[in-house]
């Protein structure tokens, strides 16, 4: 086996995302548009609703691939293609704080919903149906009766006479 020449493996070389540095807010320029991811299609492609009113098939550019993870509901900056109006390339993904700033400035419509983690469900959204009843004692009696009955786990049906000593089984009856 070859000897390791460095310290650590692939994950160490990638670095840790501990020191999150606030970056300068990038606004759209000519030929670019803001959008929100509708659904992921795979292979670095996704469907996005651009805020100029069109749905576009977007492609994650190679510089962002495997470095910036884009999820459903994220606010993105896309570069429109001059020769294909229904396709675009993703230039930048905004985090929730940056998207809120853009919304506050009026660059994004006020009707969009910005979530930190759209896949996480709040505990308040989960509902349980508890039925109140005092007949819990009757249910436990029936459970005790069921548990006290012997179970037939064999292949043969139970015999009617328990005092029969014959172990002979007639195969024609089965």
């Amino acid at each position: 086996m070859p000897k390791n020449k460095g310290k650590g493996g692939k994950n160490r070389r990638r670095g840790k995302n501990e020191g999150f540095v606030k970056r300068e807010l990038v606004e759209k320029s000519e030929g670019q548009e803001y959008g929100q991811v509708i659904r992921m299609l795979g292979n670095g492609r996704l469907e996005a609703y651009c805020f100029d009113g069109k749905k576009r098939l977007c492609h994650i550019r190679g510089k962002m691939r495997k470095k910036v993870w884009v999820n459903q509901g994220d606010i993105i900056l896309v570069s429109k293609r001059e020769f294909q109006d229904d396709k675009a390339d993703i230039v930048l993904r905004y985090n929730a704080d940056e998207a809120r700033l853009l919304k506050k400035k009026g660059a994004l419509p006020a009707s969009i919903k910005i979530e930190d983690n759209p896949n996480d469900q709040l505990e308040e959204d989960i509902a349980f149906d508890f039925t109140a009843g005092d007949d819990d004692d009757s249910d436990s009696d029936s459970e005790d009766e069921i548990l006290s009955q012997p179970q037939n786990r064999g292949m043969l049906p139970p015999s009617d006479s328990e005092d029969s000593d014959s172990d002979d089984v007639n195969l024609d009856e089965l």
Side-chain angles (χ1 to χ4, degrees), residues 13-53:
R13 284 193 301 272
R14 280 189 183 166
K16 295 183 177 123
N17 201 7
E18 290 176 359
F20 178 72
V21 179
K22 242 184 171 179
R23 63 181 181 203
E24 186 178 332
L25 186 64
V26 179
E27 294 186 7
K28 73 175 183 177
S29 61
E30 186 179 339
Q32 294 180 341
E33 188 63 44
Y34 298 113
Q36 188 169 23
V37 178
I38 297 173
R39 65 182 179 147
M40 301 298 294
L41 300 174
N43 199 22
R45 295 176 301 135
L46 54 91
E47 188 176 354
Y49 174 76
C50 294
F51 296 127
D52 61 352

Side-chain angles (χ1 to χ4, degrees), residues 152-159 169 171 174:
N152 185 14
R153 294 189 180 166
M155 297 296 290
L156 298 175
S159 62
V169 177
L171 295 177
L174 295 175

Side-chain angles (χ1 to χ4, degrees), residues 5 77 113 117 121 150 158 166:
K5 304 231 179 197
L77 179 65
K113 186 177 180 184
N117 294 325
Q121 203 177 27
S166 65

Side-chain angles (χ1 to χ4, degrees), residues 74-90:
D74 286 347
I75 305 298
I76 54 175
L77 179 65
V78 297
S79 174
K80 298 186 286 187
R81 295 182 181 177
E82 295 175 7
F83 51 94
Q84 292 175 319
D85 192 40
D86 59 337
K87 293 187 179 181
D89 298 307
I90 297 179

Side-chain angles (χ1 to χ4, degrees), residues 124-161:
E124 299 159 359
D125 295 342
I126 301 171
F128 293 100
D129 186 26
F130 294 107
T131 56
D134 295 332
D135 56 346
D136 292 338
D137 296 336
S138 63
D139 291 340
S140 63
D141 292 339
S142 62
E143 289 176 9
D144 292 339
E145 291 173 9
I146 293 171
L147 293 176
S148 65
Q149 295 176 354
Q151 295 179 354
N152 185 14
R153 294 189 180 166
M155 297 296 290
L156 298 175
S159 62
D160 293 336
S161 62

Side-chain angles (χ1 to χ4, degrees), residues 43-128:
N43 199 22
R45 295 176 301 135
L46 54 91
E47 188 176 354
Y49 174 76
C50 294
F51 296 127
D52 61 352
K54 294 187 180 181
K55 272 189 188 177
R56 289 190 170 90
L57 179 70
C58 297
H59 183 265
I60 301 173
R61 57 187 282 205
K63 187 176 180 182
M64 290 179 61
R65 249 189 159 139
K66 295 194 178 183
K67 291 178 179 67
V68 179
W69 294 101
V70 181
N71 297 316
Q72 186 175 353
D74 286 347
I75 305 298
I76 54 175
L77 179 65
V78 297
S79 174
K80 298 186 286 187
R81 295 182 181 177
E82 295 175 7
F83 51 94
Q84 292 175 319
D85 192 40
D86 59 337
K87 293 187 179 181
D89 298 307
I90 297 179
V91 177
L92 185 69
R93 176 189 161 263
Y94 292 106
N95 60 29
D97 294 332
E98 292 170 335
R100 283 189 199 97
L101 280 174
L102 285 172
K103 190 174 179 181
K104 191 175 180 180
K105 285 185 176 183
L108 298 179
S111 62
I112 65 164
K113 186 177 180 184
I114 300 169
E115 298 178 9
D116 289 329
N117 294 325
N119 296 333
D120 293 343
Q121 203 177 27
L122 296 175
E123 290 180 15
E124 299 159 359
D125 295 342
I126 301 171
F128 293 100

